[in-house]
Amino acid sequence: METTLNYISILGSFVLAISGALTAMSKRFDPFGVLIVAFATAVGGGTVRDMLLSGKSAFWLEQTSYIHFILAGTIFAIVFKSRLFHINRPLLFFDAIGLALYTVTGVQIGLQYELASVNCVILGTITGVFGGILRDILVNEVPVIFKKEVYATVCILGSILYLLLHRIQLPTVILQTVPVLFIIILRLLVIQFNISLPSLYADEREARRNNKKLEN
């Protein structure tokens, strides 16, 4: 379990570093700025998670392999930026993968600490979304979680699915794979069909109605 958890978390740091680096390069940051944004995106959620858990140090301070994979993700994004930017919405794709991997990691750690189910869901959501929040703040954008609530809702649903599968004691491969794929697919569907929760603001609702009329 511990080994699998490390692999999932390390892979999450790699893809989130790519997401952060692509965002920084789209804003034309210098190499150091790209690295800083990539690093914050990759470790932000996990660091906040570990701060909430009593007696736990930040994961990347305990295992330097995370630093290596974050550097690898950043270099990968820099080297292949021309190809990645030609892929349809590459940032959103890597963000969805990182969101899924880190959400599952957060729930697993919550279970290790024997937290209540609702707290495991909260921990999973925090782990999944806070790296993206830091990324958006650093590039001077409103974090997507504050504009598209479904971003966090996807993490919550994925966390609940993981807990349900864990409760019925499915094999480890299924337990690790199904929630990750569920979050990735659901997040991409939300993006594809522009799904969001009802708006609190009348002008935004009106704009959406006008957009639908134009599409028809």
Side-chain angles (χ1 to χ4, degrees):
M1 177 75 170
E2 186 70 29
T3 302
T4 305
L5 180 60
N6 284 337
Y7 285 148
I8 292 174
S9 187
I10 286 172
L11 182 57
S13 69
F14 178 77
V15 295
L16 283 176
I18 295 173
S19 169
L22 289 173
T23 301
M25 285 188 290
S26 71
K27 299 290 185 178
R28 306 189 69 81
F29 281 25
D30 65 20
F32 183 71
V34 171
L35 178 60
I36 293 299
V37 175
F39 182 81
T41 306
V43 306
T47 302
V48 174
R49 174 200 66 213
D50 292 346
M51 289 171 61
L52 294 173
L53 296 171
S54 177
K56 182 170 174 56
S57 302
F59 65 102
W60 52 274
L61 292 176
E62 296 178 342
Q63 293 180 270
T64 55
S65 56
Y66 285 96
I67 306 297
H68 302 151
F69 275 88
I70 291 169
L71 287 171
T74 305
I75 293 170
F76 178 87
I78 292 172
V79 172
F80 295 103
K81 64 178 180 179
S82 59
R83 295 185 180 182
L84 291 174
F85 281 131
H86 283 111
I87 301 174
N88 186 32
R89 297 183 175 182
L91 169 60
L92 298 175
F93 176 71
F94 286 110
D95 188 57
I97 296 175
L99 185 73
L101 293 170
Y102 263 24
T103 298
V104 168
T105 299
V107 177
Q108 290 174 322
I109 290 176
L111 290 171
Q112 285 185 353
Y113 276 75
E114 299 181 346
L115 301 180
S117 295
V118 64
N119 290 330
C120 288
V121 172
I122 293 171
L123 207 62
T125 303
I126 287 173
T127 308
V129 305
F130 257 84
I133 290 174
L134 287 177
R135 176 197 64 210
D136 294 342
I137 290 174
L138 288 173
V139 300
N140 198 31
E141 290 185 356
V142 177
V144 67
I145 190 175
F146 300 144
K147 299 184 293 182
K148 299 287 186 181
E149 299 89 340
V150 178
Y151 187 77
T153 305
V154 168
C155 296
I156 293 170
L157 294 176
S159 299
I160 293 172
L161 176 60
Y162 184 95
L163 291 173
L164 291 174
L165 297 179
H166 180 267
R167 183 162 294 183
I168 61 178
Q169 298 182 338
L170 288 178
T172 302
V173 174
I174 297 176
L175 182 62
Q176 304 290 353
T177 305
V178 172
V180 169
L181 292 177
F182 173 81
I183 294 172
I184 292 172
I185 293 170
L186 186 56
R187 175 63 183 148
L188 294 177
L189 286 174
V190 165
I191 295 168
Q192 179 65 33
F193 296 102
N194 196 27
I195 301 170
S196 62
L197 298 181
S199 174
L200 297 174
Y201 308 102
D203 55 343
E204 188 172 329
R205 292 196 297 269
E206 184 65 29
R208 287 179 183 170
R209 283 195 293 268
N210 292 335
N211 287 335
K212 287 182 179 180
K213 289 178 181 178
L214 291 174
E215 290 174 359
N216 295 330

